[in-house]
Each structure stands twice: as C-alpha cells, then as structure tokens.
Amino acid sequence: MTDREEVMDSSDSRDIAPSAKKNGKTSLLDSGEDFEVLDEEDIDDDDPPPLEDAGEGKGKNANPSEKKNADPELPGQVDEWLDVLGSGQLKKKVLEEGEGRDSRPQKGQNVKIRLKTSLLDGTVLEEKPDLSFTLGDGDVIQALDLAVQLMEMGEKALIQTDAKYAYGARGSLEPAVPPNAELSLEVKLLEATDAPDLELLPPAEKIALASQKRERGNAHYQRGDYAFAVNSYSIALQITESSSKVDISPEEESELLDVKVKCLNNMAASQLKLDHYDAALKSCVSALEHQPDNIKALFRMGKVLALQGEYTEAIQSLRKALKLEPSNKTIHSELSKLVKKHSEQRGAEQAMYKKMLGNPSNNSTQKPRAKSSWGLSWKWLFGATAVAIGGVALSVVIAARN
C-alpha cells in the first residue's frame, strides 16, 4: 500500500474513474486514499437497507392533482401519470401497453431495457439500447429500480424523476448530468430472466459478478450514498461466500477471496461514514481473519477502536500496520495523534484519582503537626507527674519531722 492509496479497493472500477479523467476532474476513487475515509470515516450489517418499496396498486397512492390529460405531443400514449411514491417526485406514464400485469418482473430477476435519458427540457443525455441489471440490487439509479418493477413485458413508459431518485445534488460525469437535475427517462422493458444459480455458476463468472457488484458499491461510495454502498457490498459478499457445485482452481479461489476482502474493507469504510462502529469493526475483523496482514483492515480497525475509546487496542492495531509499511506517513501520523491523545487521557485520569483520594501533600503536612502536638502532651504530663511526686515527698518529710 502506497502513501497515497485509493480510498476504496477500486483500481478496476470502470464506471467512475475513466469518466472522471475524461472530464478533467478527480473523483474520490481516483484521487488517492490517504485513509480519508474515517474523518473525524447500523444499518444492520446483516440486513442492508432495501430500496424504497414502490408498492403494487396504481391507484392507492395516486395524487389526483398530479394526474393530467394525455400529452398530445407524445404519440401512442395510452395512460395518465402514476405517482409511484405518492410524493410527486417519481411519476410513470404508459406510452405503449405491455403483455399484462402477470408479466411484470420480480425483484432479483435480471432485466434488459432500452433507455433514453433526457433533461425535462428535452436535452438527450444518454441512450442505451440494451441496458441489463438485476432488479432491486441498486445496480442503476433508484428511479429505474422502482419504476421498472411496475412495468409489463414489452411496455414502453415515460418516467419523470426528481434528482433525489436519480443523480442527486452531485450530478454525474457519465452520463453528464448536472447537479439537482430532474430527469425524463423513456424506457422499454425488453426481457426479464431469473438470476443464475450461484452454486452452478462457473468460478470466472462468479468472480466477474461479485466484482461488478463491488464496483457499483464503489460508485455509491464515491457519490456519498453510503447506505446503498453497504447494500451493494453485501450482495457482492453473498456471491463470494456462496457454495459451489462446480470445480474451482486454487487461483480462482484466491481471486474470489481477494474480492471478498476488498468488499469487507470497503464496507467497513462505508459503515464508518455512517458512524456504525460495531458493524465496521466486525467487517475489519472478518477481513483480517482471511488476511491478517491486510494494512487497510488494520488501519481501519485502529480507527474504529479509537472512536470507541479503546486506545490500547487501537494503538496495537496501528503499530502492526506501521510495522508492515514503515514508510506510510498517514499511518505514522494517525498513530502519533492517537498516542498523544491516549497519554493526555491517562494524565486526566491520574488527576481525577488524586482528587478522589485527596491531596497526599496535605496529609504529609498534617502528620508532623500531629506528632508535634503529641510530643508536647507527653512533656506536659511528665512535668505534672514530677510535680505531684515532689509534692507527696515533701508532705512525707514534713510529717516525719513533726
């Protein structure tokens, strides 16, 4: 790992880095990690957050104010606007009827669509004649994942979406979408097939599929959509961990494990961004079980332990990472800050204990005084006794003389 390493394990990310370079911009995935992910970097890690449920009924959540007459400029239009979420931010209109309600695709199926993406003013941004993705996996923008579930086979529809369900406040480099842009998506559902059986999937295809899901997670992370990133990494992990009924070579097994560890590392980074420290620690521990000397996992584990106040364990983790890569200035800097912070905490604790137990210097000054007053008491008692004995003796002498 170099001093300026990537934020994510994403050296082969195809859908982000090339477009960033093309536009003269440096994305988070291109720029070098510097371990930025744990800046000052749960969802239930076992059950990542699903996409918002689009619901089933066309009329249930429809807002009457959103319905309007068919647009005469759109030929073949046969339906009015359907308010998918009931908020007016995602609407769907049927342009050409499909094969019936029973032909709708299901979550988890692989679908193929024809897509034309435009701004609301009609400016075409992108056209894809055969875009394939797994429905509900977060492989595409949320507007498509939600609306395609409501389409029939062969149906052609127009979808209008707020930026929230498209490319958000950041926009996109590829396709070139401005920030906060509302989009118009013309979609035709071409095909829907069941996802392949992972147990029967050839190792090379399984590796490619897991890597594809991981890259999608990297895209979500780069955009700051950390919950969706965790979702994509979780799906990739399920693929890498699935059993296999086909032969797999040692090289393929090693490559699959490498993808798994990268997913765990990137998931930890996303969970830390969400302040889900327990889940992030669990991801780091899992990565280190497979690769005990993985520097990223050691570094992130040190960071999360420090955030949980476990300074001794955090320092041990960072020292191990630094030992593996002594020239890494980022680890060295983080370790120095943590050691200093731990020392200050111990000093504060010692001061608190002194305050609780009392000031030892005050006790030491009081003891001599007590000793001194006790010594004076003995001297006074001895003198008084001597006087008393003397008085008795004198009385005896006087009595004897008489």
Side-chain angles (χ1 to χ4, degrees), residues 358-369:
N359 193 335
S361 59
N362 292 338
N363 293 338
S364 61
T365 54
Q366 290 172 1
K367 287 180 181 178
R369 289 179 185 174

Side-chain angles (χ1 to χ4, degrees), residues 137-178:
D137 274 11
D139 294 344
V140 291
I141 59 173
Q142 199 175 3
L144 284 174
D145 239 340
L146 294 170
V148 171
Q149 294 180 50
L150 301 177
M151 293 182 66
E152 300 169 1
M153 190 59 57
E155 177 185 327
K156 184 178 179 182
L158 188 64
I159 299 165
Q160 286 189 357
T161 176
D162 185 79
K164 177 180 179 181
Y165 301 103
Y167 294 96
R170 298 192 181 195
S172 170
L173 295 176
E174 188 178 338
V177 179

Side-chain angles (χ1 to χ4, degrees), residues 241-281:
E241 293 170 349
S242 62
S243 58
S244 181
K245 293 180 179 178
V246 297
D247 293 334
I248 180 170
S249 69
E251 293 78 14
E252 289 170 330
E253 196 167 358
S254 176
E255 191 173 352
L256 200 59
L257 180 61
D258 187 56
V259 174
K260 179 178 180 178
V261 171
K262 286 179 179 180
C263 287
L264 287 167
N265 266 330
N266 292 355
M267 180 180 280
S270 302
Q271 289 163 336
L272 281 161
K273 284 292 190 180
L274 294 165
D275 296 333
H276 297 155
Y277 301 142
D278 289 339
L281 183 60

Side-chain angles (χ1 to χ4, degrees), residues 5-9 28-29 32-41 218 221-222 224 226 229-230 233 264-277 280-281 284 296 299-308 334 337:
E5 189 172 2
E6 291 185 347
V7 170
M8 313 300 290
D9 288 300
L28 184 63
L29 299 179
E33 174 172 34
D34 241 5
F35 294 102
E36 173 277 335
V37 294
L38 296 181
D39 273 353
E40 311 21 69
E41 182 224 56
N218 291 350
Y221 183 95
Q222 189 262 350
Y226 304 118
V230 170
Y233 295 138
L264 287 167
N265 266 330
N266 292 355
M267 180 180 280
S270 302
Q271 289 163 336
L272 281 161
K273 284 292 190 180
L274 294 165
D275 296 333
H276 297 155
Y277 301 142
L281 183 60
C284 291
K296 287 184 180 180
F299 180 86
R300 290 191 178 112
M301 187 165 76
K303 289 288 287 185
V304 70
L305 285 169
L307 289 168
Q308 291 179 319
E334 190 63 38
K337 287 190 295 184

